[in-house]
Structure formats: C-alpha cells, structure tokens
Amino acid sequence: MSCELCETPGGELLWQDDRCRVVLVSDPDYPGYCRVIWRDHVKEMTDLPDASRQHLMEVVFGTEQALRQCLAPDKVNLASFGNLTPHLHWHVIPRYRDDRHFPNPIWGLPMRETDTAWQGDVTQELRDTLHTVLGQIKRT
C-alpha cells in the first residue's frame, strides 16, 4: 500500500526527532498551518504505547504554543482525521476571525474571500520557535 506520509515529508520540514516531525503546509489561506506527523506508519492513536502518545501530544501542544507565539492567532484548531491518509498525523491550524472559513472548519464552506497581501514568510521564525519550545520536551 502506498502512503503519502511515509513516502514524502508532507510539507516543508520545520522540526523533527526520532519519532515525529512538524511540517509547514503550503496553503496561502492559512499561513502557519502545520502538521505533526508520526514517523512510523501507524493508523490510530491507540496503536501507540502510552509514552509515545504522550510524546506526540507534547509535540502537538508545543506546535500550538509556537504558532501562538509567532502569529498570535484568534484561535488554533487541532484535528486528527486520517480518513484519506490513514497515517497518524495532527493538523495544527492558526485561525483568524477574518480568515476564509471562520468560524467554520477550513474544510467547510468558505465564508469570504481572503486578502493574503499581508502575509509574510514566517517559516524561519516558526522553525526557530519550534526548536526552542520542542527542545524542552522531556524524553520518555
């Protein structure tokens, strides 16, 4: 079986350790949209041992913290679906009251057009912040 997240990074690599990686998703409507991807091909959270689940969630929460520090969004959405790609990963999406879909999920019906002119490149700042925040995770 072919798996996109086993065969490709899934976005621009921002941070990784021996168990997971954080990538930046290229989406002009959602600057800072990240995925936290488990390295091994695992389908569900309950397929992981407790310590691995804890580690993954610390990376998800650290990614949220880094996004909040760098981008000051109005809200951060966390989601883990995997219906189309059954490889364990979490979406960490900064949201703004004037973004294209707010208050709906980004996969819902758009509510407005988005003015992306203000959006600069936050990649390096986000990468640096992730390394600082996630460097504090305890190894279990």
Side-chain angles (χ1 to χ4, degrees), residues 1-49:
M1 174 180 85
S2 177
C3 173
E4 173 188 351
L5 296 181
C6 286
E7 297 168 1
T8 70
E12 182 177 345
L13 183 64
L14 298 175
W15 179 92
Q16 69 180 340
D17 66 9
D18 59 336
R19 295 186 264 184
C20 55
R21 64 188 177 272
V22 178
V23 300
L24 184 64
V25 175
S26 178
D27 187 330
D29 289 327
Y30 295 96
Y33 176 173
C34 292
R35 280 191 200 109
V36 178
I37 303 167
W38 193 251
R39 186 194 72 203
D40 296 327
H41 188 82
V42 172
K43 189 170 154 183
E44 307 293 352
M45 286 292 292
T46 53
D47 292 336
L48 295 176

Side-chain angles (χ1 to χ4, degrees), residues 4 81-87 89:
E4 173 188 351
F81 302 114
N83 296 336
L84 296 177
T85 306
H87 181 123
H89 63 286

Side-chain angles (χ1 to χ4, degrees), residues 1 8 35 41 49 56 70 88 92 99 103 107 111:
M1 174 180 85
T8 70
R35 280 191 200 109
H41 188 82
L56 178 58
C70 290
L88 188 55
V92 186
D99 74 36
W107 297 279
M111 302 298 289

Side-chain angles (χ1 to χ4, degrees), residues 73-131:
D74 294 311
K75 181 73 177 93
V76 176
N77 290 168
L78 303 176
S80 179
F81 302 114
N83 296 336
L84 296 177
T85 306
H87 181 123
L88 188 55
H89 63 286
W90 282 81
H91 302 267
V92 186
I93 310 163
R95 300 295 308 275
Y96 299 90
R97 287 183 180 89
D98 62 350
D99 74 36
R100 185 171 177 168
H101 292 89
F102 198 88
N104 293 339
I106 69 166
W107 297 279
L109 293 174
M111 302 298 289
R112 66 196 61 78
E113 290 301 314
T114 303
D115 177 13
T116 58
W118 66 271
Q119 299 169 1
D121 185 9
V122 298
T123 306
Q124 191 58 51
E125 180 184 4
L126 188 52
R127 183 178 283 120
D128 293 344
T129 305
L130 279 166
H131 281 269

